[in-house]
């Protein structure tokens, strides 16, 4: 079935599953899963154990998984994080789809998760196909405005070539700011993890391998989308 969505908004029952009454239980589930991961237990079996314990639906389990990390991973990510004040005048490599989807979700009323490591992550998914929505241009506009205000750049956006319409999104990005580059590559992850300039991503595997990172998605949401549907489980 073709994707006909025009907004990156909430799921039909997200207001119920991620409402104020559900959040304490979800936060405890994140703490429980993180405890298990810290002691070397496998993620899949640990998530099932925690999800069953707290009677979570699949979408809540996805949120708990994306928000959790081991103590070791948490310490490693904190040690490599670059604060906003240290980013002025510095180049930045950006995980393109990772950032765009989170900003689209924040502007469209979709769930934005606050994870244990402080990152903001969305619940949207791209399985081989990216479809532009009404929030796409505003998301790029706010990124251009705030990155310029903070004096960050030049910026290189990396987009996954296997995802359809990545070339079109790259063209939109290049047209948005003169100091932006957008490259469509087979796999951005090894390029982001490679030593070099700071990166912007919330991808856990990349965060654990990179040299340094800036929490760009969170900084942008807090600066430009104060009404976003943020569910802080950290």
């Amino acid at each position: 079935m073709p994707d006909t969505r025009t907004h990156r908004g909430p799921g039909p029952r997200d207001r119920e599953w991620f409402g104020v009454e559900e959040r304490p239980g979800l936060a405890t589930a994140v703490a429980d899963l993180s405890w298990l991961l810290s002691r070397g237990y496998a993620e899949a079996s640990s998530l099932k154990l925690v999800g069953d314990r707290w009677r979570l639906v699949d979408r809540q389990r996805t949120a708990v998984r994306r928000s959790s990390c081991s103590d070791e991973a948490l310490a490693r990510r904190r040690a490599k994080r670059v604060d906003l004040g240290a980013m002025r005048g510095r180049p930045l490599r950006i995980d393109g789809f990772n950032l765009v989807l989170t900003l689209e979700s924040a502007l469209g009323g979709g769930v934005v998760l606050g994870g244990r490591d402080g990152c903001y992550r969305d619940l949207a998914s791209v399985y081989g196909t990216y479809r532009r929505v009404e929030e796409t241009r505003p998301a790029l506009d706010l990124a251009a405005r705030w990155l310029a205000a903070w004096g960050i750049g030049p910026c290189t956006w990396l987009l996954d070539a296997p995802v359809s319409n990545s070339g079109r999104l790259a063209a939109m990005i290049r047209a948005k700011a003169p100091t932006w580059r957008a490259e469509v590559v087979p796999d951005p992850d090894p390029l982001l993890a490679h030593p070099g300039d700071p990166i912007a991503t919330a991808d856990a595997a990349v965060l654990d391998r990179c040299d340094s990172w800036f929490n760009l998605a969170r900084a942008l949401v807090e600066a430009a989308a104060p009404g976003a549907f943020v569910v802080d489980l950290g």
Side-chain angles (χ1 to χ4, degrees), residues 26-223:
L26 291 170
T28 303
V30 168
D32 288 350
L33 179 57
S34 298
W35 188 91
L36 291 168
L37 296 175
S38 298
R39 284 149 183 80
Y41 289 92
E43 182 182 76
S45 56
S46 298
L47 179 60
K48 185 179 188 309
L49 178 66
V50 172
D52 290 350
R53 164 67 179 83
W54 292 99
R55 300 179 181 178
L56 305 180
V57 300
D58 285 347
R59 193 159 169 83
Q60 291 173 316
R61 293 179 192 226
T62 298
V64 167
R65 177 177 58 79
R66 292 189 180 183
S67 301
S68 303
C69 66
S70 69
D71 292 347
E72 180 183 0
L74 178 62
R76 187 166 55 240
R77 294 173 198 176
R78 284 177 172 172
K80 296 187 292 187
R81 186 176 61 207
V82 180
D83 292 333
L84 175 58
M87 282 302 302
R88 179 168 291 275
R90 299 185 68 177
L92 183 66
R93 295 173 290 164
I94 298 174
D95 188 348
F97 282 118
N98 188 278
L99 178 64
V100 168
L101 287 169
T102 301
L103 295 181
E104 289 174 344
S105 295
L107 295 175
V111 172
V112 176
L113 300 168
R116 189 181 185 220
D117 57 7
C119 287
Y120 275 7
R121 297 176 173 90
D122 57 83
L123 272 176
S125 299
V126 174
Y127 297 107
T129 301
Y130 171 79
R131 179 184 176 87
R132 191 179 74 186
V133 292
E134 291 188 17
E135 292 79 23
T136 305
R137 287 193 183 278
L140 296 178
D141 287 341
L142 77 86
R145 182 170 68 253
W146 284 95
L147 283 167
W150 293 329
I152 299 174
C155 298
T156 300
W157 296 64
L158 299 173
L159 300 169
D160 307 69
V163 177
S164 65
N165 296 316
S166 56
R168 293 181 181 179
L169 180 58
M172 292 177 64
I173 291 170
R174 295 186 196 106
K176 189 57 60 178
T179 60
W180 284 3
R181 294 172 54 199
E183 300 177 6
V184 179
V185 298
D187 184 3
D189 290 3
L191 299 177
L192 292 164
H194 192 272
D197 300 321
I199 67 168
T201 188
D203 185 303
V206 178
L207 289 175
D208 289 338
R209 294 162 54 200
C210 71
D211 275 353
S212 60
W213 65 285
F214 171 51
N215 202 348
L216 179 59
R218 179 166 188 153
L220 290 173
V221 171
E222 290 181 340

